[in-house]
């Protein structure tokens, strides 16, 4: 059989018309006050704190890059925000629809970051721009607003702002626990946390009084100089969150947060100057019992993996996996705390909710210097009914630099984390394991997150599939063709007689995801048998 080539010639005009639209850089200097779409063909640069206001919906296409401006000469000041800073700020009643995909995540970063160059930003860079703020109308437990005034219904003014803002843009809270502030899915927020007021930094993602109509899933924060995620009241539910190398708390809750969450992963930074080393900080709001502030900060999370900076860490926060404060009463289930000096640190502010039975810790694994700082709380570990254990979870690898792809938070075969999972509430995924990953084959952080793109994360193992072979033949010459998988090696074997041994046909072929062609020749009077060894 002879393969006949087919050539198609396109005119210059046809080529021009079929090409992609020219990408543009769009400076965003004004608020979004009507329904708008930001397109993946453009790069958007925030030149100020950009409010999505007036009930508008901002839709961001998959694969879009949004950058926070960092040049003070080009930043525009905003009323009630003391410092020059860039951020995206979604006000009460407005919506952000930022729905990416695993293949095309939406990326928020700073204007000095070339997202196509994995090596252009030093790995210890942080705090280059503000971050993303979502403000909702759900319930808070604060008896007074931040100005000291009794608020009915309860609302608050965002910390660090000097006034309520135009159209009350800096206020959050209300009575609508079903409020919807939009959807964020497959979103990467990189290098946020810049100071926007004295002693006030923005979080990577601020979740202020969000209702459970809001959808937050598959969102990561990379290298924030403040908290990665912080909840201020509300009831929004989340799943599949990543806090990678953030200098303050990975997950921080305040003001009566009451959502339900699953699959959180966090790892602390190791570089000089990164001091705060808490995985979770849970706050209720000081002295709830005495002042009657309701509702309590009582939320739920299952399947958390948090990695600290080593069991000898003495940084600010004391190298703590979970710091429970201010009468917070969360339920933490199926968690894994590794490489912290202390697993759980309990600050007794008013009533200790662990001793009243309102807070809970069950079915979790601790690989830490000591499980708890409080002798009275030792029962959390020693009470066999809670099924908390102090044991090495046998993670695939812990690393803090991007030069070896050594970070692998998945438990290896034989790990205690692979079993012992407790039953979770209806609406969550019922799993048998503890921590955020089910084992060596589960790597939901791979591909779309910055650690996987920047060389920190060990790549997921892709099951090798047998390729489909095709060939063209001309006399004694043949060309074999087959599609390859990235990370898979192929060795072709051949023989002309069925009773003889196989021999290598050429050198091993490394898979790249593309089709390969392998030329060969054989005895035209006989047969050629081909076998592919997939490694």
């Amino acid at each position: 059989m002879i393969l006949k080539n087919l050539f198609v010639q396109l005119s210059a005009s046809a080529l021009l018309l079929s090409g992609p639209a020219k990408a543009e850089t769009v400076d965003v200097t004004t608020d979004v006050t009507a329904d708008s779409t930001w397109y993946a063909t453009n790069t958007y640069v925030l030149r100020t704190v950009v409010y999505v206001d007036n009930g508008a919906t901002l839709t961001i296409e998959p694969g879009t890059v949004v950058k926070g401006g960092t040049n003070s000469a080009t930043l525009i000041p905003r009323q009630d925000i003391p410092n020059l800073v860039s951020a995206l700020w979604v006000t009460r009643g407005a919506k952000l629809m930022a729905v990416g995909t695993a293949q095309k995540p939406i990326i928020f970063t700073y204007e000095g970051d070339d997202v196509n160059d994995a090596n252009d930003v030093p790995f210890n860079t942080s705090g280059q721009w503000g971050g993303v703020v979502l403000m909702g109308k759900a319930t808070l437990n604060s008896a007074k607003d931040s100005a000291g005034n009794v608020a009915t219904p309860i609302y608050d003014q965002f910390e660090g702002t000097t006034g309520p803002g135009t159209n009350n843009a800096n206020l959050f809270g209300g009575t609508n626990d079903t409020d919807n502030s939009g959807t964020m899915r497959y979103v990467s927020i990189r290098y946020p946390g810049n100071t926007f007021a004295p002693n006030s930094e923005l979080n990577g993602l601020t979740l202020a009084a969000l209702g459970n109509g809001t959808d937050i899933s598959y969102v990561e924060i990379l290298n924030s100089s403040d908290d990665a995620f912080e909840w201020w009241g509300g009831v929004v539910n989340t799943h599949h969150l990543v806090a990678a190398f953030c200098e303050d708390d990975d997950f921080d809750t305040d003001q009566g947060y009451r959502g339900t969450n699953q699959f959180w992963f966090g790892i602390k930074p190791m570089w000089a100057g990164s001091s705060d080393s808490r995985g979770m900080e849970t706050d209720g709001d000081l002295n709830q019992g005495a002042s009657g502030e309701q509702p309590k900060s009582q939320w739920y999370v299952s399947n958390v993996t948090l990695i600290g900076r080593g069991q000898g860490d003495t940084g600010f926060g004391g190298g703590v996996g979970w710091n429970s404060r201010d009468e917070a009463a969360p339920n933490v289930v199926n968690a894994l705390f590794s490489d912290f000096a202390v697993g759980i640190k309990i600050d007794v502010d008013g009533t200790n909710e662990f001793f009243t039975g309102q807070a809970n810790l069950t079915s979790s694994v601790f690989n830490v210097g000591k499980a708890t700082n409080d002798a009275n709380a030792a029962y959390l570990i020693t009470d066999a009914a809670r099924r908390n254990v102090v044991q090495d979870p046998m993670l695939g690898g812990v690393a803090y630099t991007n030069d070896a792809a050594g970070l692998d938070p998945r438990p290896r075969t034989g790990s205690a984390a692979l079993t012992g999972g407790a039953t979770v509430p209806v609406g969550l995924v019922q799993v048998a394991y503890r921590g955020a990953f089910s084992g060596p084959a589960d790597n939901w952080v791979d591909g779309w997150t910055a650690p996987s793109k920047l060389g920190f994360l060990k790549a997921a193992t892709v099951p090798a599939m047998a390729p489909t072979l095709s060939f063209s033949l001309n006399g004694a010459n043949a060309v074999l063709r087959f599609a390859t998988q990235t990370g898979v090696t192929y060795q072709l074997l051949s023989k002309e007689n069925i009773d003889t041994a196989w021999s290598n046909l050429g050198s091993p072929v490394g898979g790249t995801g593309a089709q390969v062609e392998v030329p060969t020749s054989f005895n035209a009077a006989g047969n050629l048998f081909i076998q592919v060894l997939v490694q």
Side-chain angles (χ1 to χ4, degrees), residues 457-483:
L457 193 69
K458 183 177 180 180
T461 300
V462 180
M465 307 296 292
T468 299
L469 299 176
S470 64
F471 70 96
S472 61
L473 179 64
N474 183 9
N477 298 314
V479 176
L480 303 175
R481 297 178 178 86
F482 59 94

Side-chain angles (χ1 to χ4, degrees), residues 324-402:
S324 184
R325 308 172 61 231
D326 299 347
E327 300 177 81
N331 292 271
V332 178
V333 180
N334 301 335
L336 191 161
F337 301 90
S338 188
D339 293 273
F340 289 96
V342 178
I344 177 169
K345 180 176 184 287
I346 298 175
D347 293 337
V348 182
D349 301 307
T351 303
N352 188 316
E353 304 300 358
F354 277 97
F355 304 145
T356 65
Q358 296 189 64
N360 192 23
L361 170 67
T362 57
S363 300
S364 296
V365 179
F366 292 85
N367 180 35
V368 296
K370 58 181 179 179
T372 177
N373 72 314
D374 189 334
N376 294 323
Y379 75 95
L380 295 170
I381 308 302
T382 60
D383 179 6
R386 293 179 176 273
R387 298 192 298 173
N388 297 317
V389 298
V390 179
Q391 191 170 347
D392 184 351
M394 298 169 55
L395 300 183
V398 175
Y400 305 91
T401 60
N402 62 342

Side-chain angles (χ1 to χ4, degrees), residues 157-365:
Q157 181 177 306
F158 196 79
E159 63 176 3
T161 60
T162 58
T166 304
N167 297 326
N168 291 323
N170 299 330
L171 303 184
F172 61 96
T175 59
N176 183 9
D177 280 353
T178 63
D179 190 33
N180 181 356
S181 296
T183 299
M184 295 184 71
R185 188 179 305 139
Y186 286 110
V187 175
S188 174
I189 302 173
R190 306 176 183 181
Y191 315 110
N194 200 351
T195 301
F196 77 110
N199 300 314
S200 295
E201 301 85 21
L202 285 175
N203 312 122
L205 178 59
T206 297
L207 307 162
L210 297 188
N212 57 24
T214 309
D215 181 357
I216 307 293
S217 58
Y218 293 97
V219 177
E220 73 151 343
I221 312 299
L222 174 78
N223 291 37
S224 176
S225 60
D226 197 54
D227 298 335
F229 300 89
E230 185 162 8
W231 290 257
W232 300 89
V235 293
V236 64
N237 306 316
T238 75
H239 62 87
H240 293 95
L241 303 185
V242 176
F245 312 113
C246 297
E247 294 178 342
D248 208 335
D249 308 315
D250 292 339
F251 304 96
D252 190 348
T253 62
D254 302 271
Q255 290 186 280
Y257 172 57
R258 290 164 293 125
T260 302
N261 310 274
Q262 193 171 24
F263 306 120
W264 289 356
F265 167 59
I267 181 170
K268 305 308 299 181
M270 188 66 83
W271 57 73
S274 60
S275 57
D276 200 327
S277 46
R278 288 175 291 201
M280 294 191 299
E281 179 187 336
T282 60
D283 300 284
D285 210 5
L286 186 59
N287 205 16
Q288 287 182 203
S291 61
E293 296 167 357
Q294 293 293 334
K296 272 196 178 296
S297 184
Q298 192 158 19
W299 48 273
Y300 190 100
V301 65
S302 179
N303 298 99
V304 184
T305 293
L306 298 177
I307 299 174
R309 304 188 305 185
Q311 296 185 15
D313 183 17
T314 58
F316 177 71
V320 175
W322 173 17
N323 189 188
S324 184
R325 308 172 61 231
D326 299 347
E327 300 177 81
N331 292 271
V332 178
V333 180
N334 301 335
L336 191 161
F337 301 90
S338 188
D339 293 273
F340 289 96
V342 178
I344 177 169
K345 180 176 184 287
I346 298 175
D347 293 337
V348 182
D349 301 307
T351 303
N352 188 316
E353 304 300 358
F354 277 97
F355 304 145
T356 65
Q358 296 189 64
N360 192 23
L361 170 67
T362 57
S363 300
S364 296
V365 179

